[in-house]
Amino acid sequence: MTRFARRWWPIPAMLATTVAIQNIWFGRYEATGHAAGHLASASAIFAITFVLAVLVWASPPQLRRSPGLRVLAAGVAIAAVVPTIGNLRVVNAVGSDNWTDDQASALGQARPGFESGHDLAERGMWIVVGFAVLLAGWLWIKRAVSNGVGIASIVLCLIFPPWIFPGAGLIVLAIATVIKRAARLRQPELNGNRPGRQTVQQVPPLIG
């Protein structure tokens, strides 16, 4: 159990940090109705950041140091800021009004930031999807993930509703990378080289 905790503690630590920051950041907003949906969409950046952090952390050291992985992961994270800004514009435009979707369509155009926020959020979601597909394709080409994982990730990025979780295929990549890390960690044990276990080398007899 202690060995398991030493190996995997960064994942719950990253999750706890992400949730804490999300609660602090969005705790100041009180949104209902139409605005509440946009606030939920704006918070997707935290889930994306957590998944990316797990993906990079669980990757082999050589892959983790690769400029390609760093650039594409940073591209996804930076792109996720765009729909967040757009959704928060809508939240601020609606304010404390508990509008339904129909009311928002009828009344929102008169509020500054309402239309531009919707446009920015929609465009930003697809930018995130594009970077996520590029990241999945790059990992697939580099054989960092299997054919099945690469295809599943790309397909999920394209078909999963981006207003819920843009680039949802990143979750597939992160899970596959964690599984491969677990396999790498088990490899020395399968070979009999457990931590703390010393192997005794056989010394050939002296010939006198």
Side-chain angles (χ1 to χ4, degrees):
M1 188 64 184
T2 303
R3 185 188 307 167
F4 179 86
R6 285 201 307 265
R7 289 176 172 178
W8 298 104
W9 69 265
I11 293 181
M14 288 185 287
L15 178 60
T17 302
T18 303
V19 172
I21 296 175
Q22 178 179 342
N23 290 337
I24 293 172
W25 182 261
F26 286 100
R28 54 183 178 166
Y29 291 95
E30 294 183 3
T32 57
H34 183 79
H38 282 277
L39 185 61
S41 296
S43 65
I45 187 173
F46 294 99
I48 292 172
T49 302
F50 169 70
V51 171
L52 286 172
V54 172
L55 171 62
V56 173
W57 170 79
S59 298
Q62 184 176 2
L63 182 65
R64 194 185 310 137
R65 293 190 295 266
S66 171
L69 178 61
R70 294 182 179 184
V71 169
L72 290 172
V76 176
I78 294 172
V81 176
V82 179
T84 299
I85 294 174
N87 283 300
L88 290 180
R89 278 188 187 177
V90 178
V91 173
N92 292 327
V94 175
S96 59
D97 293 325
N98 186 15
W99 284 351
T100 64
D101 291 342
D102 292 336
Q103 289 174 321
S105 299
L107 304 173
Q109 296 179 0
R111 299 287 181 89
F114 185 86
E115 289 293 329
S116 63
H118 276 90
D119 292 340
L120 188 62
E122 183 176 0
R123 293 175 185 175
M125 289 184 300
W126 290 109
I127 294 174
V128 176
V129 170
F131 271 101
V133 169
L134 288 176
L135 177 57
W138 184 84
L139 291 172
W140 184 10
I141 292 173
K142 292 294 183 179
R143 299 185 181 277
V145 296
S146 65
N147 293 341
V149 169
I151 294 173
S153 176
I154 292 173
V155 171
L156 188 58
C157 284
L158 296 175
I159 68 173
F160 194 85
W163 55 89
I164 298 176
F165 192 115
L170 296 171
I171 299 174
V172 177
L173 297 177
I175 293 175
T177 306
V178 168
I179 292 174
K180 292 188 71 172
R181 173 182 170 82
R184 291 196 308 272
L185 293 175
R186 284 198 306 268
Q187 194 64 37
E189 297 181 359
L190 295 176
N191 293 334
N193 297 327
R194 293 182 175 83
R197 177 178 175 180
Q198 298 180 351
T199 56
V200 179
Q201 296 182 351
Q202 296 293 333
V203 180
L206 297 176
I207 300 177

